[in-house]
Amino acid sequence: MTVIPALRKYFTSSMPGELRLATLANSLFSGLLIYILEVVFVISFAALVFSGQLAGQLPQALGFIILGNALLMGLMALLSSYPGTIGHVQEMPGVVVGVVATEMVAALPGITTGQLFPTVVIMLTVTTIITGLVFLALGIFKLGGLARFLPYPVMGGFLAGTGWLLVLGGLGIMVPKSLGPEWLEVDSLSHWLPGLVFGLILFAVVSRFNRSITLPMMLVLGTVLFYVVTASLNVSQDQLKVGGWLVGSIPNVSMSSFPLSPGFLSQVNWEVLWNYLPELAPVPLICVISLLLNCGGIELVIKKDIDLNRELVTTGAGNLLAGALGGLAGFHAISLSTLNHKMSGGKRLVGLFAALLMALTVFVGTSVLGYIPRLVLGAVLVYLGVALLVEWVYQAWFKFPKIDFVIILSILVMIVLSGFLNGIILGLILAVIMFVVSYSRLNNVKFSLAGGKYPSRVTRGWRQQQLLETHNDRLFLLKLQGFIFFGTASNIFKRVRELVGSEPASQTRYVLLDFSLVNGLDSTGLQSFSRILQWGQKQKIVLVLTGLQGRIRGQFEHGGFEEQLNSLRFFDDLDHGLEWCENQIIAGATSRETAQTGLLTELKAITGEGSSVEKLLSYMSCREYGAEEYLIRQDDQPDMIYFIESGEVTAQWEGTGQAPVRLETMGGGRLVGELGFYLGIQRTATVIVNKPGIIYSFSRSALDELERSEPEIANLFHRIVVQLLGERVVHLLKVVETLER
């Protein structure tokens, strides 16, 4: 469903229902509750960026960050495929931008104060806009599913590292000094230790009492308790502001202060910004993965599917608007969307009302926000960080295999010791290693069989079947599957040598590799097949390759694989490759005369009778057929049954506008057309002559006459049909039995 029809449907059908008094009152209350939580979250995440030496600029930045979040929230509430979606700024982008901003300040002490704040804000703006563009591109081209390929343990390591940085960021909000020995001084301890304890209490209480009202009640209680304690200690409001206990006064927002205004842009140190932008590259990737994970979590809560590509487009547009105002990157909030679902059933008005309150706060309510204790903001971040650490470190120990846990822990340690960017790099390296190790354990050989255990669709005479069963060790078939790359290609070569080596080397003459289930091949894999070819030439073995199509066929051609009579052959499909190998085995095992099986010889071998078979043939018409002549046409009436004396015919199914599909090829001593002849149904396949030969035909009227005049000969006819039909069924059952292994 596109955006415009969805909006039209909402305003014409859903909106009137949401405006009913009882529903409206519930939505307004739910929106107010979500607004309270949203304000705390936004200020907390903004404080992650503007901390330490940048803490003094937090009030100045909050106005347009909150306004950007209001636009993001409102747009997502209006256009999301799930009406109850609540979007807000996220902690992970804030963590990364905050770390980079801190590194920039520490590495460039000479940057002027007038340039520092605009440079950090534009860095924030660029990051959010690029994230929005990535969202839009993935959504427009319906590529959202690509982000799901990142291994879960790697994502867990990122989240664990985010948890650690959230805890540090929460403590940094409460302490105006940079992390160091000064934190252990009494004045610093009094700032961060109560907040740390309150954050741990928040985690314990919310985990124990998982109710929608628990967190806001605890935040209100913490704020009230803060002011009660400071009042009892006779600490004035001015002292709290000077001591860094409060967020501080937030100036009114004006259009001239927005990041993309000419005056603001003229103050940016573009050289510094350009140098540090590469470190922000992980933000869009993390946001895309987190958005999809959060959408998946919301789907589990609401028990409905969400249109991921529409969510990416909507969130991308929201981030472009938020970024233009200097806002943080954001997307779906599981907790607040779940709260909306539980309290209102998932109404759009909840998100729209909360967004309206956020926007009004910027213009008429910023003075109130200045009285929020930093201790409460820091405690919220500590609570979120501890929750991530508990989930992805403590609980991961019990949920994941130990190798996955080691990956999570390795990424966390790297982030702790060397920074978020190096943790991201390590995570991507581990993801590649995990892929290679895991995929190399997969078996690219679906099955491997001696030739006689997987016959072609050629139904052969009794003598030829005996020859193939006797010499089935001259052919080995390997059906390949999946993507063949450097981690698995050598296993195929090893498997071929094991199969051939398990029998006397002089017996095996053909190795058939079927590629019909192979979906890709890299250059190293191609090199392994070159080694198989070279090895086969030394062993006087012909390598037969079947099912090579499209790009894979082109890789072999460009790799120098040219058909050679005694060492390499190509066939379009497995069936024709098997037929060729069987023909070569039969030709090599017998003389031309004994290899050919005539009808009289075959029927005598089946029945053990001579004169009766000759008498039966006298009731049949005999005719010589040329190549490409039709013996039976699909949908014809079944008036004849045919016995092949010599030559070869093929039964094939012909669909409208489709290439014919070979069902079976038959030579001397076989019969065709028996199903329609006995069941009285239209012909289900076309039978065409491949090789010229003599074919006997037996009509229904001739059978009726035979049954009246020569009942014993008629019974012989039925016995022959049953025998030949049974052999055909056994032939097909061999294939079915092989495929079910």
Side-chain angles (χ1 to χ4, degrees):
M1 183 180 291
T2 59
V3 172
I4 299 301
L7 288 177
R8 186 181 299 115
K9 180 180 178 181
Y10 171 67
F11 282 109
T12 57
S13 60
S14 300
M15 174 65 85
E18 291 196 30
L19 292 178
R20 293 173 183 171
L21 185 59
T23 304
L24 180 61
N26 185 37
S27 296
L28 294 180
F29 176 77
S30 301
L32 178 62
L33 182 59
I34 288 174
Y35 159 75
I36 294 172
L37 291 172
E38 186 79 6
V39 166
V40 175
F41 284 141
V42 171
I43 297 177
S44 300
F45 299 155
L48 279 172
V49 181
F50 298 94
S51 59
Q53 295 185 35
L54 292 169
Q57 278 77 41
L58 174 61
Q60 185 178 353
L62 271 178
F64 42 77
I65 290 179
I66 292 175
L67 187 57
N69 181 79
L71 291 176
L72 172 69
M73 179 189 290
L75 192 66
M76 291 183 64
L78 191 62
L79 301 180
S80 174
S81 59
Y82 168 56
T85 297
I86 302 295
H88 74 168
V89 298
Q90 297 287 334
E91 66 272 21
M92 282 180 286
V95 165
V96 178
V97 175
V99 169
V100 174
T102 302
E103 291 177 357
M104 185 176 67
V105 172
L108 300 169
I111 189 171
T112 65
T113 304
Q115 289 182 326
L116 180 60
F117 177 70
T119 303
V120 172
V121 171
I122 293 301
M123 180 174 65
L124 193 65
T125 297
V126 171
T127 304
T128 304
I129 290 176
I130 291 176
T131 301
L133 291 173
V134 171
F135 284 160
L136 275 175
L138 291 175
I140 291 172
F141 293 103
K142 303 185 184 304
L143 298 175
L146 293 177
R148 299 187 189 274
F149 286 94
L150 187 67
Y152 207 54
V154 175
M155 188 61 200
F158 296 160
L159 293 175
T162 300
W164 168 257
L165 294 176
L166 279 172
V167 172
L168 287 184
L171 299 178
I173 289 173
M174 295 180 277
V175 182
K177 303 175 183 178
S178 300
L179 179 63
E182 295 85 359
W183 277 37
L184 299 179
E185 296 176 357
V186 175
D187 182 58
S188 296
L189 279 173
S190 64
H191 277 76
W192 67 262
L193 188 57
L196 175 63
V197 172
F198 184 44
L200 295 175
I201 292 173
L202 277 178
F203 172 75
V205 172
V206 174
S207 300
R208 176 65 178 84
F209 305 99
N210 189 15
R211 301 289 185 273
S212 57
I213 200 68
T214 304
L215 182 58
M217 285 184 60
M218 289 295 296
L219 295 178
V220 172
L221 180 61
T223 303
V224 171
L225 185 60
F226 171 81
Y227 279 106
V228 169
V229 172
T230 55
S232 64
L233 296 175
N234 295 320
V235 180
S236 66
Q237 293 295 317
D238 292 337
Q239 290 174 314
L240 290 175
K241 293 178 181 179
V242 173
W245 291 95
L246 304 178
V247 171
S249 59
I250 300 175
N252 292 329
V253 173
S254 65
M255 294 304 295
S256 61
S257 66
F258 283 125
L260 298 184
S261 63
F264 198 96
L265 293 174
S266 64
Q267 303 175 57
V268 175
N269 189 320
W270 294 102
E271 181 180 358
V272 171
L273 177 64
W274 181 258
N275 290 335
Y276 279 89
L277 275 181
E279 296 194 35
L280 299 169
V283 172
L285 173 63
I286 295 172
C287 287
V288 169
I289 297 171
S290 300
L291 182 151
L292 296 175
L293 289 175
N294 285 7
C295 286
I298 294 172
E299 286 178 335
L300 293 176
V301 172
I302 66 176
K303 296 180 175 58
K304 294 180 181 178
D305 290 336
I306 291 177
D307 185 344
L308 293 180
N309 291 310
R310 177 173 164 183
E311 297 306 306
L312 284 166
V313 171
T314 299
T315 311
N319 276 276
L320 290 181
L321 290 176
L325 299 178
L328 280 163
F331 42 87
H332 303 67
I334 293 182
S335 57
L336 298 184
S337 298
T338 302
L339 180 61
N340 185 10
H341 176 71
K342 290 181 178 179
M343 295 188 66
S344 72
K347 298 295 188 294
R348 291 193 191 274
L349 277 181
V350 175
L352 293 172
F353 182 59
L356 177 62
L357 291 177
M358 292 289 292
L360 291 176
T361 300
V362 174
F363 296 102
V364 299
T366 52
S367 59
V368 177
L369 300 181
Y371 290 95
I372 297 177
R374 286 180 175 270
L375 182 149
V376 173
L377 299 180
V380 170
L381 295 181
V382 169
Y383 152 68
L384 295 174
V386 170
L388 287 174
L389 288 170
V390 168
E391 179 180 1
W392 292 104
V393 179
Y394 174 73
Q395 294 178 1
W397 170 261
F398 302 100
K399 293 194 304 183
F400 290 95
K402 294 302 176 277
I403 183 63
D404 291 349
F405 178 78
V406 169
I407 292 173
I408 293 173
L409 198 61
S410 300
I411 297 173
L412 172 60
V413 171
M414 178 62 73
I415 291 174
V416 171
L417 298 179
S418 187
F420 202 86
L421 181 61
N422 290 332
I424 294 288
I425 294 173
L426 175 63
L428 295 177
I429 293 173
L430 291 176
V432 173
I433 294 174
M434 280 180 63
F435 169 79
V436 173
V437 172
S438 299
Y439 206 94
S440 63
R441 294 174 181 170
L442 298 178
N443 189 2
N444 279 124
V445 180
K446 184 177 179 64
F447 58 77
S448 56
L449 298 166
K453 295 182 179 180
Y454 192 99
S456 70
R457 294 181 182 176
V458 177
T459 304
R460 302 182 183 276
W462 179 81
R463 291 180 181 275
Q464 292 185 353
Q465 289 180 11
Q466 292 298 314
L467 286 173
L468 290 175
E469 290 178 4
T470 302
H471 300 285
N472 66 355
D473 56 354
R474 295 190 179 184
L475 166 65
F476 278 107
L477 158 68
L478 289 87
K479 194 170 186 65
L480 308 181
Q481 63 181 352
F483 184 85
I484 301 173
F485 74 116
F486 63 90
T488 58
S490 60
N491 294 334
I492 298 174
F493 187 18
K494 180 180 178 181
R495 182 61 177 155
V496 170
R497 288 188 299 182
E498 287 176 352
L499 287 172
V500 175
S502 63
E503 301 291 339
S506 60
Q507 298 298 317
T508 304
R509 286 291 173 263
Y510 307 95
V511 172
L512 190 153
L513 303 178
D514 181 58
F515 289 79
S516 57
L517 297 180
V518 174
N519 49 38
L521 174 73
D522 73 352
S523 57
T524 309
L526 189 64
Q527 181 63 30
S528 291
F529 291 110
S530 297
R531 293 171 57 201
I532 295 175
L533 178 59
Q534 294 171 3
W535 169 83
Q537 290 171 338
K538 293 180 181 179
Q539 299 289 327
K540 297 182 179 180
I541 292 174
V542 179
L543 182 63
V544 180
L545 306 182
T546 66
L548 289 170
Q549 302 294 336
R551 183 172 57 86
I552 300 178
R553 179 65 179 264
Q555 287 180 269
F556 274 89
E557 291 175 351
H558 289 97
F561 283 75
E562 296 181 359
E563 197 167 50
Q564 304 171 34
L565 181 62
N566 296 320
S567 59
L568 179 64
R569 298 299 299 265
F570 292 96
F571 293 92
D572 291 337
D573 55 63
L574 172 61
D575 188 46
H576 286 88
L578 282 170
E579 179 187 359
W580 182 85
C581 292
E582 291 171 353
N583 290 339
Q584 299 304 306
I585 292 172
I586 293 171
T590 62
S591 65
R592 180 177 180 84
E593 290 77 14
T594 56
Q596 297 294 327
T597 304
L599 178 61
L600 182 60
T601 303
E602 184 71 20
L603 296 185
K604 285 181 178 180
I606 291 174
T607 63
E609 301 182 25
S611 59
S612 297
V613 171
E614 292 177 358
K615 192 169 185 179
L616 172 62
L617 292 180
S618 67
Y619 279 86
M620 300 183 187
S621 300
C622 181
R623 178 193 158 188
E624 186 173 348
Y625 285 80
E628 305 301 326
E629 278 196 72
Y630 280 86
L631 192 63
I632 295 174
R633 290 185 181 272
Q634 194 168 312
D635 298 326
D636 280 353
Q637 294 302 315
D639 54 347
M640 291 283 184
I641 188 170
Y642 298 91
F643 288 83
I644 305 168
E645 163 68 29
S646 61
E648 187 178 87
V649 302
T650 293
Q652 61 189 29
W653 179 83
E654 298 178 345
T656 304
Q658 301 181 34
V661 178
R662 180 166 84 157
L663 303 176
E664 188 177 11
T665 297
M666 293 150 283
R670 299 289 96 186
L671 84 162
V672 63
E674 72 280 6
L675 291 180
F677 185 82
Y678 272 89
L679 298 178
I681 60 175
Q682 290 182 329
R683 302 296 192 183
T684 57
T686 293
V687 179
I688 191 170
V689 177
N690 294 342
K691 298 178 181 178
I694 298 172
I695 298 175
Y696 286 83
S697 60
F698 190 49
S699 67
R700 188 178 301 279
S701 59
L703 176 59
D704 293 339
E705 180 183 346
L706 186 64
E707 287 178 335
R708 287 192 302 270
S709 59
E710 300 278 357
E712 292 183 0
I713 303 299
N715 287 336
L716 177 65
F717 168 78
H718 294 306
R719 283 170 48 202
I720 291 172
V721 172
V722 170
Q723 177 71 26
L724 294 177
L725 183 58
E727 290 179 3
R728 182 181 300 172
V729 172
V730 170
H731 178 85
L732 295 175
L733 285 176
K734 282 185 178 181
V735 178
V736 174
E737 181 183 358
T738 300
L739 294 175
E740 288 183 346
R741 291 180 177 179

